[in-house]
Amino acid sequence: MALLKLLFTWALFAVMALAANPWVARHRLTSDQYQSTMNDLVAQGYKPTYVSGYTISNSPRFAAIWQKPSGWVPAWVARHGMTSDEYQAAFNTYTSQGYRPILVNGYTVSGQDRYVAIWDKSTSGAWVARHRMTASEYQSQFNTYLAQGYRLKHVSGYAIGTEARYAALWEKTPNDSSAWSARHGLTSAQYQQEFNTMTAQGYRPTVVSGYGVNGVDYYAAIWEKKSGPAWVARHGMTSDQYQTQFNTITGQGYYPTVVSGYTLGSTDYYAALWSK
C-alpha cells in the first residue's frame, strides 16, 4: 500500500509538473520516439520550437524543444527524416499553401543528408531559404542577401561525406535594426574566443549549431545586440554533461531555446542555449 501511494504521488507530481510547465525538452530520441512524443505533446497543446537531428551509431536521433503557447498560434507543420528531394518537395508544397520555414536543420545518416523542418503561417517580411550549401556557397549567399537587407535568422551546419554543408534562413526585418553577427566553420576554441568577444561587446547568442566534419567539431552561430532576459550557453557537452547542465540551469528558472545534437565518432554531443 505504501509503495502504491508513493507511485501515485510521484505520478501525480509528474502530471502536475508537466501541466505547470510551458515547455518540454527531450534528447536522444529515436525517430519513432520523437514522433510518439510529438503526437502526445501536440495533443496537449504544445508546439515544436526547435528540433535537431543527428546520429548515434548511425541511427538517427532527435533533440527537441516544445512550448505551450498562451495565446493564438498560427497554423504549422513539422517534418523529419526527409531526404534532400523530400525536403524540397515538402518545401514547395507548404510554401505554396502560405507557410514559411522557421527552422531547417540538416544531419547525415549512412552518408546521406536528411532534414528536419518546421513551417508556419506567421507573418514576416520577405524571406529566403537555402540548404545543401557548401561553405563557399553559403558565404556567397550570405554576402548577397546581406547586401539586399536580409538578416540571417537561422543556420544549420552538417556534413555530407567529408565536406561541411549549410542550411540557412534569411528574413527582411524592417522593424528590427539591432546589430547582429554570424560566424560559421569555427572550431571549438575559435567559437569560444568569438563567443567571448561578442558577449563582451553586449551581444547575445540566438542560434548555435554544432556539427562534426572529419572527426572535428565545428560551430555556426548568430549573435544579436539587443536587450533581453538572462541567458546561458554551453557547447561540447556529452549526453550526461548536457543532462547535468540542463537540470542545473532549468532549476535556476531558465528554459531551453536551442539544442543542437551532433556526433563525433560514436559519441553524441550537444550545444544549447537557455533563457529566463
Side-chain angles (χ1 to χ4, degrees):
M1 181 64 71
L3 178 58
L4 288 176
K5 183 176 181 181
L6 178 62
L7 290 174
F8 175 77
T9 302
W10 178 88
L12 181 61
F13 174 79
V15 171
M16 291 175 63
L18 181 59
N21 198 1
W23 58 265
V24 174
R26 298 286 186 269
H27 71 288
R28 273 196 157 205
L29 298 175
T30 65
S31 183
D32 288 343
Q33 290 170 336
Y34 169 67
Q35 188 61 63
S36 177
T37 303
M38 173 77 82
N39 295 343
D40 290 344
L41 290 174
V42 169
Q44 296 174 45
Y46 289 83
K47 173 187 175 182
T49 56
Y50 202 94
V51 187
S52 67
Y54 54 108
T55 61
I56 298 177
S57 299
N58 212 36
S59 171
R61 299 297 178 101
F62 299 90
I65 302 167
W66 291 264
Q67 291 185 4
K68 181 178 278 190
S70 58
W72 175 81
V73 179
W76 61 270
V77 289
R79 296 290 183 271
H80 70 284
M82 296 176 289
T83 65
S84 180
D85 288 344
E86 289 170 341
Y87 167 65
Q88 189 62 60
F91 180 95
N92 295 342
T93 296
Y94 294 127
T95 55
S96 70
Q97 296 174 3
Y99 292 84
R100 72 181 182 99
I102 58 173
L103 178 141
V104 54
N105 280 328
Y107 58 106
T108 306
V109 182
S110 299
Q112 185 182 52
D113 50 319
R114 300 290 181 93
Y115 298 87
V116 57
I118 303 173
W119 295 262
D120 75 12
K121 285 191 174 182
S122 59
T123 57
S124 72
W127 57 266
V128 177
R130 296 287 184 270
H131 73 287
R132 230 174 187 257
M133 296 177 288
T134 65
S136 59
E137 289 170 341
Y138 171 56
Q139 187 63 61
S140 176
Q141 294 287 296
F142 182 95
N143 296 341
T144 295
Y145 294 120
L146 179 65
Q148 294 176 12
Y150 286 84
R151 187 184 191 102
L152 184 68
K153 299 297 290 183
H154 182 75
V155 60
S156 167
Y158 53 107
I160 299 179
T162 59
E163 186 178 46
R165 295 297 180 103
Y166 298 89
L169 303 175
W170 289 265
E171 184 180 335
K172 280 194 174 181
T173 56
N175 295 325
D176 187 353
S177 60
S178 60
W180 63 276
S181 180
R183 298 288 186 273
H184 68 283
L186 301 176
T187 64
S188 181
Q190 291 170 336
Y191 170 64
Q192 187 63 61
Q193 181 178 3
E194 188 69 18
F195 180 94
N196 295 342
T197 298
M198 298 305 298
T199 55
Q201 296 175 12
Y203 289 79
R204 56 191 294 126
T206 56
V207 174
V208 59
S209 172
Y211 51 107
V213 183
N214 290 328
V216 178
D217 54 323
Y218 293 92
Y219 300 86
I222 303 173
W223 290 267
E224 295 185 351
K225 195 170 191 178
K226 57 175 61 175
S227 60
W231 55 268
V232 176
R234 298 285 187 271
H235 73 284
M237 298 175 287
T238 64
S239 179
D240 288 345
Q241 291 170 337
Y242 168 60
Q243 188 63 61
T244 298
Q245 289 291 309
F246 183 94
N247 294 343
T248 299
I249 294 168
T250 57
Q252 296 171 354
Y254 293 82
Y255 71 95
T257 58
V258 172
V259 55
S260 172
Y262 52 104
T263 307
L264 297 176
S266 59
T267 304
D268 49 317
Y269 291 87
Y270 301 85
L273 302 176
W274 291 265
S275 178
K276 270 201 174 177

